[in-house]
Amino acid sequence: MTLPVRPDLAGLHPYGAPQLSVAARLNVNENPYSPPQGVVDAIAAAVHKAAEGLNRYPDRDFVALRADLAHYLAIESHVGFLQVENMWAANGSNEVMLHLHQAFGGPGRKVLSFAPTYSMYPEYARDTITDYVTLPRRDDFTLDTDAAVAAIAEIQPVMVIVASPNNPTGTALPLSDVEALCHAADQVPGGCLVVIDEAYAEFRRRGVPSALQLLPEHENLAVSRTMSKAFALAGGRLGYLAAAPAVVDALQIVRLPYHLSAVTQATARAALAHHRDLQAQVDEIRAERDDTVRWLQEQGYTVAETDANFALFGPFEDREKVFEGLLERGVLIRVTGPEGWLRVSIGTPQEMALFRSALLEVTA
């Protein structure tokens, strides 16, 4: 049978990392700790209550959830100015990003980002027939702000997307860089939105600020977050965004009706009510990350400076061989980033001990 698939999609494969049953699954930056039993019980009770009304559509505008998200950010990032009108949510931050591309991208429009970065960014652009343009980061994976500002003036994109901490490098973006991008975006005729993807923000080191602090000063700034990582809720699929009300209004136009199920809303609200319990291990993950970075450096590897729950390290003459050797020993990591580099998610102390011993064996 011949199908009229879009020519630009012909022969492509869907995005996705391996989902294998191994002793240490350290490839997709998941939180290695299961939710505490008390939180599981609270989520189960909330879902049970939601199930009683599943014959009805959920709250289309999920107002209570948006209020809870604003309250959480007021606690986590000390930004008490956010209201329901500033908040948006979807099925993972991937869908939030897709909504942004649907609302602001499209044929003849450009999105600018800085490589290496999250490998889904070009796919959002492809799916919305938006041109995707990248500039290289510096050798240490920081942003060349002067080059970025010049590129915004030349390319005149409708959106600039920067992950902070960046994936796969873990590099955080200083607020001065965010401000420079926003000021440059102000000069783009027709407007330009600066999107800071803070999926790993809760893992940043003490004193590293969030771009959320700049929202009152820049109406062309949006900050995306997720509950998948620090909340140990990857299976719950809840991502969200904080921005000016006009940005949220635009996203409401393109979202599918009732896109957040009653079960998803109930799960997310119950998790938010127990965020301290869910995030109790964040400090442990940070400490394990720092120990892992030090150990890799002691073995002679270059490790990208990271504020996330993963580390990018290398170089390897044959990274695929190292990846396969680790997998044979029950350790699954990720082949990503520049040629010769590998990324390892931070797991439990036991998982990281297995990673270290396996890496020593493979590279002996």
PDB file of all heavy atoms in Angstrom, residues 118-152:
ATOM      1  N   TYR A 118      19.310  19.791  23.136  1.00  0.00           N
ATOM      2  CA  TYR A 118      18.313  18.725  23.169  1.00  0.00           C
ATOM      3  C   TYR A 118      17.910  18.317  21.753  1.00  0.00           C
ATOM      4  O   TYR A 118      17.538  19.161  20.934  1.00  0.00           O
ATOM      5  CB  TYR A 118      17.103  19.210  23.957  1.00  0.00           C
ATOM      6  CG  TYR A 118      16.009  18.194  24.190  1.00  0.00           C
ATOM      7  CD1 TYR A 118      16.291  16.844  24.383  1.00  0.00           C
ATOM      8  CD2 TYR A 118      14.684  18.596  24.235  1.00  0.00           C
ATOM      9  CE1 TYR A 118      15.280  15.923  24.605  1.00  0.00           C
ATOM     10  CE2 TYR A 118      13.668  17.687  24.475  1.00  0.00           C
ATOM     11  CZ  TYR A 118      13.968  16.355  24.660  1.00  0.00           C
ATOM     12  OH  TYR A 118      12.964  15.457  24.888  1.00  0.00           O
ATOM     13  N   SER A 119      17.957  17.020  21.494  1.00  0.00           N
ATOM     14  CA  SER A 119      17.764  16.531  20.127  1.00  0.00           C
ATOM     15  C   SER A 119      16.324  16.598  19.647  1.00  0.00           C
ATOM     16  O   SER A 119      16.055  16.367  18.459  1.00  0.00           O
ATOM     17  CB  SER A 119      18.274  15.089  20.016  1.00  0.00           C
ATOM     18  OG  SER A 119      17.659  14.254  20.979  1.00  0.00           O
ATOM     19  N   MET A 120      15.377  16.914  20.529  1.00  0.00           N
ATOM     20  CA  MET A 120      13.993  17.061  20.087  1.00  0.00           C
ATOM     21  C   MET A 120      13.704  18.427  19.481  1.00  0.00           C
ATOM     22  O   MET A 120      12.709  18.585  18.766  1.00  0.00           O
ATOM     23  CB  MET A 120      13.021  16.822  21.253  1.00  0.00           C
ATOM     24  CG  MET A 120      12.666  15.365  21.508  1.00  0.00           C
ATOM     25  SD  MET A 120      11.806  14.571  20.125  1.00  0.00           S
ATOM     26  CE  MET A 120      10.276  15.515  20.072  1.00  0.00           C
ATOM     27  N   TYR A 121      14.536  19.421  19.741  1.00  0.00           N
ATOM     28  CA  TYR A 121      14.238  20.765  19.236  1.00  0.00           C
ATOM     29  C   TYR A 121      14.035  20.794  17.720  1.00  0.00           C
ATOM     30  O   TYR A 121      13.059  21.381  17.239  1.00  0.00           O
ATOM     31  CB  TYR A 121      15.334  21.752  19.646  1.00  0.00           C
ATOM     32  CG  TYR A 121      15.396  22.060  21.127  1.00  0.00           C
ATOM     33  CD1 TYR A 121      16.540  22.629  21.684  1.00  0.00           C
ATOM     34  CD2 TYR A 121      14.335  21.775  21.976  1.00  0.00           C
ATOM     35  CE1 TYR A 121      16.620  22.919  23.039  1.00  0.00           C
ATOM     36  CE2 TYR A 121      14.402  22.053  23.337  1.00  0.00           C
ATOM     37  CZ  TYR A 121      15.551  22.623  23.861  1.00  0.00           C
ATOM     38  OH  TYR A 121      15.621  22.909  25.201  1.00  0.00           O
ATOM     39  N   PRO A 122      14.924  20.187  16.931  1.00  0.00           N
ATOM     40  CA  PRO A 122      14.682  20.207  15.488  1.00  0.00           C
ATOM     41  C   PRO A 122      13.433  19.441  15.082  1.00  0.00           C
ATOM     42  O   PRO A 122      12.837  19.735  14.041  1.00  0.00           O
ATOM     43  CB  PRO A 122      15.950  19.573  14.897  1.00  0.00           C
ATOM     44  CG  PRO A 122      16.579  18.823  16.017  1.00  0.00           C
ATOM     45  CD  PRO A 122      16.233  19.579  17.259  1.00  0.00           C
ATOM     46  N   GLU A 123      13.007  18.474  15.895  1.00  0.00           N
ATOM     47  CA  GLU A 123      11.805  17.711  15.552  1.00  0.00           C
ATOM     48  C   GLU A 123      10.536  18.522  15.787  1.00  0.00           C
ATOM     49  O   GLU A 123       9.565  18.399  15.035  1.00  0.00           O
ATOM     50  CB  GLU A 123      11.785  16.396  16.324  1.00  0.00           C
ATOM     51  CG  GLU A 123      12.989  15.523  15.999  1.00  0.00           C
ATOM     52  CD  GLU A 123      12.752  14.051  16.275  1.00  0.00           C
ATOM     53  OE1 GLU A 123      11.589  13.646  16.480  1.00  0.00           O
ATOM     54  OE2 GLU A 123      13.740  13.295  16.282  1.00  0.00           O
ATOM     55  N   TYR A 124      10.507  19.350  16.824  1.00  0.00           N
ATOM     56  CA  TYR A 124       9.361  20.256  16.993  1.00  0.00           C
ATOM     57  C   TYR A 124       9.236  21.162  15.766  1.00  0.00           C
ATOM     58  O   TYR A 124       8.135  21.411  15.261  1.00  0.00           O
ATOM     59  CB  TYR A 124       9.529  21.157  18.220  1.00  0.00           C
ATOM     60  CG  TYR A 124       9.793  20.471  19.524  1.00  0.00           C
ATOM     61  CD1 TYR A 124      10.748  20.990  20.403  1.00  0.00           C
ATOM     62  CD2 TYR A 124       9.102  19.332  19.915  1.00  0.00           C
ATOM     63  CE1 TYR A 124      11.005  20.396  21.627  1.00  0.00           C
ATOM     64  CE2 TYR A 124       9.357  18.725  21.139  1.00  0.00           C
ATOM     65  CZ  TYR A 124      10.312  19.263  21.986  1.00  0.00           C
ATOM     66  OH  TYR A 124      10.569  18.673  23.194  1.00  0.00           O
ATOM     67  N   ALA A 125      10.390  21.671  15.327  1.00  0.00           N
ATOM     68  CA  ALA A 125      10.385  22.560  14.164  1.00  0.00           C
ATOM     69  C   ALA A 125       9.933  21.815  12.915  1.00  0.00           C
ATOM     70  O   ALA A 125       9.090  22.305  12.143  1.00  0.00           O
ATOM     71  CB  ALA A 125      11.781  23.156  13.971  1.00  0.00           C
ATOM     72  N   ARG A 126      10.468  20.617  12.710  1.00  0.00           N
ATOM     73  CA  ARG A 126      10.077  19.821  11.543  1.00  0.00           C
ATOM     74  C   ARG A 126       8.583  19.548  11.526  1.00  0.00           C
ATOM     75  O   ARG A 126       7.913  19.678  10.492  1.00  0.00           O
ATOM     76  CB  ARG A 126      10.841  18.489  11.578  1.00  0.00           C
ATOM     77  CG  ARG A 126      10.501  17.518  10.460  1.00  0.00           C
ATOM     78  CD  ARG A 126      10.854  16.101  10.867  1.00  0.00           C
ATOM     79  NE  ARG A 126       9.991  15.626  11.952  1.00  0.00           N
ATOM     80  CZ  ARG A 126      10.256  14.553  12.691  1.00  0.00           C
ATOM     81  NH1 ARG A 126      11.372  13.865  12.493  1.00  0.00           N
ATOM     82  NH2 ARG A 126       9.418  14.175  13.642  1.00  0.00           N
ATOM     83  N   ASP A 127       8.032  19.197  12.686  1.00  0.00           N
ATOM     84  CA  ASP A 127       6.619  18.820  12.749  1.00  0.00           C
ATOM     85  C   ASP A 127       5.692  19.994  12.482  1.00  0.00           C
ATOM     86  O   ASP A 127       4.536  19.801  12.097  1.00  0.00           O
ATOM     87  CB  ASP A 127       6.294  18.208  14.114  1.00  0.00           C
ATOM     88  CG  ASP A 127       6.989  16.867  14.325  1.00  0.00           C
ATOM     89  OD1 ASP A 127       7.531  16.310  13.341  1.00  0.00           O
ATOM     90  OD2 ASP A 127       7.012  16.385  15.469  1.00  0.00           O
ATOM     91  N   THR A 128       6.191  21.215  12.691  1.00  0.00           N
ATOM     92  CA  THR A 128       5.365  22.407  12.472  1.00  0.00           C
ATOM     93  C   THR A 128       5.804  23.190  11.231  1.00  0.00           C
ATOM     94  O   THR A 128       5.421  24.346  11.049  1.00  0.00           O
ATOM     95  CB  THR A 128       5.413  23.328  13.704  1.00  0.00           C
ATOM     96  OG1 THR A 128       6.784  23.630  14.022  1.00  0.00           O
ATOM     97  CG2 THR A 128       4.753  22.661  14.902  1.00  0.00           C
ATOM     98  N   ILE A 129       6.607  22.557  10.386  1.00  0.00           N
ATOM     99  CA  ILE A 129       7.094  23.175   9.128  1.00  0.00           C
ATOM    100  C   ILE A 129       7.789  24.504   9.436  1.00  0.00           C
ATOM    101  O   ILE A 129       7.603  25.523   8.768  1.00  0.00           O
ATOM    102  CB  ILE A 129       5.946  23.390   8.104  1.00  0.00           C
ATOM    103  CG1 ILE A 129       4.934  22.260   8.175  1.00  0.00           C
ATOM    104  CG2 ILE A 129       6.523  23.508   6.695  1.00  0.00           C
ATOM    105  CD1 ILE A 129       5.455  20.908   7.783  1.00  0.00           C
ATOM    106  N   THR A 130       8.598  24.498  10.474  1.00  0.00           N
ATOM    107  CA  THR A 130       9.350  25.684  10.884  1.00  0.00           C
ATOM    108  C   THR A 130      10.828  25.458  10.581  1.00  0.00           C
ATOM    109  O   THR A 130      11.342  24.358  10.773  1.00  0.00           O
ATOM    110  CB  THR A 130       9.167  25.935  12.399  1.00  0.00           C
ATOM    111  OG1 THR A 130       7.777  26.004  12.712  1.00  0.00           O
ATOM    112  CG2 THR A 130       9.853  27.223  12.829  1.00  0.00           C
ATOM    113  N   ASP A 131      11.514  26.479  10.109  1.00  0.00           N
ATOM    114  CA  ASP A 131      12.949  26.359   9.847  1.00  0.00           C
ATOM    115  C   ASP A 131      13.715  26.370  11.175  1.00  0.00           C
ATOM    116  O   ASP A 131      13.485  27.237  12.025  1.00  0.00           O
ATOM    117  CB  ASP A 131      13.437  27.521   8.974  1.00  0.00           C
ATOM    118  CG  ASP A 131      12.879  27.463   7.565  1.00  0.00           C
ATOM    119  OD1 ASP A 131      12.563  26.355   7.097  1.00  0.00           O
ATOM    120  OD2 ASP A 131      12.740  28.537   6.934  1.00  0.00           O
ATOM    121  N   TYR A 132      14.625  25.416  11.328  1.00  0.00           N
ATOM    122  CA  TYR A 132      15.407  25.299  12.552  1.00  0.00           C
ATOM    123  C   TYR A 132      16.850  25.664  12.245  1.00  0.00           C
ATOM    124  O   TYR A 132      17.495  25.065  11.383  1.00  0.00           O
ATOM    125  CB  TYR A 132      15.326  23.872  13.094  1.00  0.00           C
ATOM    126  CG  TYR A 132      16.085  23.642  14.376  1.00  0.00           C
ATOM    127  CD1 TYR A 132      15.644  24.176  15.576  1.00  0.00           C
ATOM    128  CD2 TYR A 132      17.242  22.858  14.384  1.00  0.00           C
ATOM    129  CE1 TYR A 132      16.337  23.948  16.754  1.00  0.00           C
ATOM    130  CE2 TYR A 132      17.941  22.624  15.559  1.00  0.00           C
ATOM    131  CZ  TYR A 132      17.480  23.169  16.744  1.00  0.00           C
ATOM    132  OH  TYR A 132      18.171  22.942  17.910  1.00  0.00           O
ATOM    133  N   VAL A 133      17.369  26.665  12.967  1.00  0.00           N
ATOM    134  CA  VAL A 133      18.719  27.173  12.742  1.00  0.00           C
ATOM    135  C   VAL A 133      19.510  27.019  14.036  1.00  0.00           C
ATOM    136  O   VAL A 133      19.015  27.343  15.122  1.00  0.00           O
ATOM    137  CB  VAL A 133      18.696  28.653  12.321  1.00  0.00           C
ATOM    138  CG1 VAL A 133      20.109  29.147  12.031  1.00  0.00           C
ATOM    139  CG2 VAL A 133      17.790  28.853  11.116  1.00  0.00           C
ATOM    140  N   THR A 134      20.751  26.520  13.927  1.00  0.00           N
ATOM    141  CA  THR A 134      21.583  26.397  15.121  1.00  0.00           C
ATOM    142  C   THR A 134      22.906  27.117  14.935  1.00  0.00           C
ATOM    143  O   THR A 134      23.431  27.226  13.827  1.00  0.00           O
ATOM    144  CB  THR A 134      21.885  24.929  15.473  1.00  0.00           C
ATOM    145  OG1 THR A 134      22.557  24.313  14.372  1.00  0.00           O
ATOM    146  CG2 THR A 134      20.625  24.184  15.815  1.00  0.00           C
ATOM    147  N   LEU A 135      23.421  27.604  16.045  1.00  0.00           N
ATOM    148  CA  LEU A 135      24.773  28.143  16.130  1.00  0.00           C
ATOM    149  C   LEU A 135      25.565  27.245  17.071  1.00  0.00           C
ATOM    150  O   LEU A 135      25.001  26.711  18.027  1.00  0.00           O
ATOM    151  CB  LEU A 135      24.757  29.569  16.695  1.00  0.00           C
ATOM    152  CG  LEU A 135      24.926  30.721  15.697  1.00  0.00           C
ATOM    153  CD1 LEU A 135      23.714  30.760  14.778  1.00  0.00           C
ATOM    154  CD2 LEU A 135      25.060  32.043  16.440  1.00  0.00           C
ATOM    155  N   PRO A 136      26.851  27.082  16.837  1.00  0.00           N
ATOM    156  CA  PRO A 136      27.646  26.258  17.754  1.00  0.00           C
ATOM    157  C   PRO A 136      27.909  26.973  19.072  1.00  0.00           C
ATOM    158  O   PRO A 136      28.071  28.195  19.113  1.00  0.00           O
ATOM    159  CB  PRO A 136      28.946  26.028  16.979  1.00  0.00           C
ATOM    160  CG  PRO A 136      29.051  27.209  16.064  1.00  0.00           C
ATOM    161  CD  PRO A 136      27.648  27.558  15.684  1.00  0.00           C
ATOM    162  N   ARG A 137      27.931  26.206  20.144  1.00  0.00           N
ATOM    163  CA  ARG A 137      28.380  26.731  21.423  1.00  0.00           C
ATOM    164  C   ARG A 137      29.907  26.790  21.433  1.00  0.00           C
ATOM    165  O   ARG A 137      30.563  26.265  20.531  1.00  0.00           O
ATOM    166  CB  ARG A 137      27.889  25.824  22.559  1.00  0.00           C
ATOM    167  CG  ARG A 137      26.381  25.909  22.803  1.00  0.00           C
ATOM    168  CD  ARG A 137      25.906  24.853  23.777  1.00  0.00           C
ATOM    169  NE  ARG A 137      24.502  25.043  24.110  1.00  0.00           N
ATOM    170  CZ  ARG A 137      24.074  25.686  25.189  1.00  0.00           C
ATOM    171  NH1 ARG A 137      24.948  26.170  26.054  1.00  0.00           N
ATOM    172  NH2 ARG A 137      22.782  25.837  25.428  1.00  0.00           N
ATOM    173  N   ARG A 138      30.452  27.431  22.469  1.00  0.00           N
ATOM    174  CA  ARG A 138      31.900  27.448  22.629  1.00  0.00           C
ATOM    175  C   ARG A 138      32.404  26.035  22.931  1.00  0.00           C
ATOM    176  O   ARG A 138      31.618  25.135  23.212  1.00  0.00           O
ATOM    177  CB  ARG A 138      32.292  28.393  23.766  1.00  0.00           C
ATOM    178  CG  ARG A 138      31.942  29.860  23.536  1.00  0.00           C
ATOM    179  CD  ARG A 138      32.624  30.700  24.610  1.00  0.00           C
ATOM    180  NE  ARG A 138      32.295  32.120  24.503  1.00  0.00           N
ATOM    181  CZ  ARG A 138      31.443  32.746  25.304  1.00  0.00           C
ATOM    182  NH1 ARG A 138      30.809  32.080  26.265  1.00  0.00           N
ATOM    183  NH2 ARG A 138      31.206  34.038  25.165  1.00  0.00           N
ATOM    184  N   ASP A 139      33.701  25.863  22.923  1.00  0.00           N
ATOM    185  CA  ASP A 139      34.287  24.548  23.170  1.00  0.00           C
ATOM    186  C   ASP A 139      33.930  24.018  24.549  1.00  0.00           C
ATOM    187  O   ASP A 139      33.865  22.797  24.756  1.00  0.00           O
ATOM    188  CB  ASP A 139      35.815  24.594  23.013  1.00  0.00           C
ATOM    189  CG  ASP A 139      36.239  24.777  21.563  1.00  0.00           C
ATOM    190  OD1 ASP A 139      35.401  24.547  20.670  1.00  0.00           O
ATOM    191  OD2 ASP A 139      37.402  25.157  21.333  1.00  0.00           O
ATOM    192  N   ASP A 140      33.694  24.928  25.519  1.00  0.00           N
ATOM    193  CA  ASP A 140      33.323  24.491  26.865  1.00  0.00           C
ATOM    194  C   ASP A 140      31.803  24.401  27.018  1.00  0.00           C
ATOM    195  O   ASP A 140      31.299  24.238  28.130  1.00  0.00           O
ATOM    196  CB  ASP A 140      33.902  25.422  27.930  1.00  0.00           C
ATOM    197  CG  ASP A 140      33.359  26.853  27.831  1.00  0.00           C
ATOM    198  OD1 ASP A 140      32.584  27.146  26.888  1.00  0.00           O
ATOM    199  OD2 ASP A 140      33.711  27.671  28.696  1.00  0.00           O
ATOM    200  N   PHE A 141      31.076  24.522  25.902  1.00  0.00           N
ATOM    201  CA  PHE A 141      29.620  24.382  25.810  1.00  0.00           C
ATOM    202  C   PHE A 141      28.844  25.572  26.390  1.00  0.00           C
ATOM    203  O   PHE A 141      27.620  25.512  26.497  1.00  0.00           O
ATOM    204  CB  PHE A 141      29.136  23.082  26.464  1.00  0.00           C
ATOM    205  CG  PHE A 141      29.798  21.859  25.913  1.00  0.00           C
ATOM    206  CD1 PHE A 141      30.465  20.978  26.758  1.00  0.00           C
ATOM    207  CD2 PHE A 141      29.785  21.600  24.555  1.00  0.00           C
ATOM    208  CE1 PHE A 141      31.102  19.849  26.243  1.00  0.00           C
ATOM    209  CE2 PHE A 141      30.408  20.471  24.030  1.00  0.00           C
ATOM    210  CZ  PHE A 141      31.060  19.601  24.888  1.00  0.00           C
ATOM    211  N   THR A 142      29.527  26.628  26.781  1.00  0.00           N
ATOM    212  CA  THR A 142      28.825  27.845  27.180  1.00  0.00           C
ATOM    213  C   THR A 142      28.330  28.576  25.928  1.00  0.00           C
ATOM    214  O   THR A 142      28.754  28.285  24.801  1.00  0.00           O
ATOM    215  CB  THR A 142      29.727  28.777  28.001  1.00  0.00           C
ATOM    216  OG1 THR A 142      30.894  29.098  27.226  1.00  0.00           O
ATOM    217  CG2 THR A 142      30.142  28.116  29.303  1.00  0.00           C
ATOM    218  N   LEU A 143      27.445  29.536  26.141  1.00  0.00           N
ATOM    219  CA  LEU A 143      26.862  30.285  25.033  1.00  0.00           C
ATOM    220  C   LEU A 143      27.759  31.466  24.664  1.00  0.00           C
ATOM    221  O   LEU A 143      28.190  32.228  25.542  1.00  0.00           O
ATOM    222  CB  LEU A 143      25.472  30.786  25.434  1.00  0.00           C
ATOM    223  CG  LEU A 143      24.641  31.468  24.353  1.00  0.00           C
ATOM    224  CD1 LEU A 143      24.221  30.465  23.293  1.00  0.00           C
ATOM    225  CD2 LEU A 143      23.408  32.121  24.974  1.00  0.00           C
ATOM    226  N   ASP A 144      28.037  31.604  23.375  1.00  0.00           N
ATOM    227  CA  ASP A 144      28.742  32.786  22.875  1.00  0.00           C
ATOM    228  C   ASP A 144      27.689  33.873  22.703  1.00  0.00           C
ATOM    229  O   ASP A 144      27.034  33.969  21.668  1.00  0.00           O
ATOM    230  CB  ASP A 144      29.430  32.472  21.547  1.00  0.00           C
ATOM    231  CG  ASP A 144      30.300  33.622  21.056  1.00  0.00           C
ATOM    232  OD1 ASP A 144      30.038  34.776  21.436  1.00  0.00           O
ATOM    233  OD2 ASP A 144      31.225  33.367  20.262  1.00  0.00           O
ATOM    234  N   THR A 145      27.526  34.694  23.737  1.00  0.00           N
ATOM    235  CA  THR A 145      26.414  35.643  23.766  1.00  0.00           C
ATOM    236  C   THR A 145      26.504  36.666  22.648  1.00  0.00           C
ATOM    237  O   THR A 145      25.485  37.016  22.029  1.00  0.00           O
ATOM    238  CB  THR A 145      26.369  36.357  25.131  1.00  0.00           C
ATOM    239  OG1 THR A 145      26.486  35.390  26.171  1.00  0.00           O
ATOM    240  CG2 THR A 145      25.055  37.107  25.291  1.00  0.00           C
ATOM    241  N   ASP A 146      27.697  37.169  22.382  1.00  0.00           N
ATOM    242  CA  ASP A 146      27.846  38.170  21.310  1.00  0.00           C
ATOM    243  C   ASP A 146      27.430  37.575  19.968  1.00  0.00           C
ATOM    244  O   ASP A 146      26.726  38.225  19.177  1.00  0.00           O
ATOM    245  CB  ASP A 146      29.292  38.661  21.239  1.00  0.00           C
ATOM    246  CG  ASP A 146      29.687  39.494  22.453  1.00  0.00           C
ATOM    247  OD1 ASP A 146      28.773  40.005  23.138  1.00  0.00           O
ATOM    248  OD2 ASP A 146      30.898  39.615  22.715  1.00  0.00           O
ATOM    249  N   ALA A 147      27.851  36.334  19.706  1.00  0.00           N
ATOM    250  CA  ALA A 147      27.475  35.678  18.454  1.00  0.00           C
ATOM    251  C   ALA A 147      25.972  35.416  18.418  1.00  0.00           C
ATOM    252  O   ALA A 147      25.329  35.548  17.362  1.00  0.00           O
ATOM    253  CB  ALA A 147      28.237  34.365  18.300  1.00  0.00           C
ATOM    254  N   ALA A 148      25.391  35.079  19.564  1.00  0.00           N
ATOM    255  CA  ALA A 148      23.949  34.830  19.622  1.00  0.00           C
ATOM    256  C   ALA A 148      23.162  36.100  19.338  1.00  0.00           C
ATOM    257  O   ALA A 148      22.178  36.082  18.581  1.00  0.00           O
ATOM    258  CB  ALA A 148      23.579  34.269  20.992  1.00  0.00           C
ATOM    259  N   VAL A 149      23.579  37.198  19.931  1.00  0.00           N
ATOM    260  CA  VAL A 149      22.899  38.476  19.707  1.00  0.00           C
ATOM    261  C   VAL A 149      22.999  38.890  18.240  1.00  0.00           C
ATOM    262  O   VAL A 149      22.014  39.341  17.629  1.00  0.00           O
ATOM    263  CB  VAL A 149      23.497  39.560  20.629  1.00  0.00           C
ATOM    264  CG1 VAL A 149      23.035  40.954  20.209  1.00  0.00           C
ATOM    265  CG2 VAL A 149      23.111  39.286  22.080  1.00  0.00           C
ATOM    266  N   ALA A 150      24.176  38.715  17.665  1.00  0.00           N
ATOM    267  CA  ALA A 150      24.353  39.046  16.244  1.00  0.00           C
ATOM    268  C   ALA A 150      23.485  38.153  15.365  1.00  0.00           C
ATOM    269  O   ALA A 150      22.897  38.618  14.371  1.00  0.00           O
ATOM    270  CB  ALA A 150      25.826  38.907  15.855  1.00  0.00           C
ATOM    271  N   ALA A 151      23.370  36.878  15.715  1.00  0.00           N
ATOM    272  CA  ALA A 151      22.557  35.955  14.921  1.00  0.00           C
ATOM    273  C   ALA A 151      21.079  36.305  14.999  1.00  0.00           C
ATOM    274  O   ALA A 151      20.355  36.190  14.002  1.00  0.00           O
ATOM    275  CB  ALA A 151      22.783  34.525  15.410  1.00  0.00           C
ATOM    276  N   ILE A 152      20.613  36.735  16.155  1.00  0.00           N
ATOM    277  CA  ILE A 152      19.207  37.144  16.282  1.00  0.00           C
ATOM    278  C   ILE A 152      18.923  38.326  15.363  1.00  0.00           C
ATOM    279  O   ILE A 152      17.887  38.368  14.682  1.00  0.00           O
ATOM    280  CB  ILE A 152      18.882  37.482  17.749  1.00  0.00           C
ATOM    281  CG1 ILE A 152      18.929  36.212  18.607  1.00  0.00           C
ATOM    282  CG2 ILE A 152      17.498  38.139  17.860  1.00  0.00           C
ATOM    283  CD1 ILE A 152      18.822  36.471  20.103  1.00  0.00           C
TER     284      ILE A 152
END
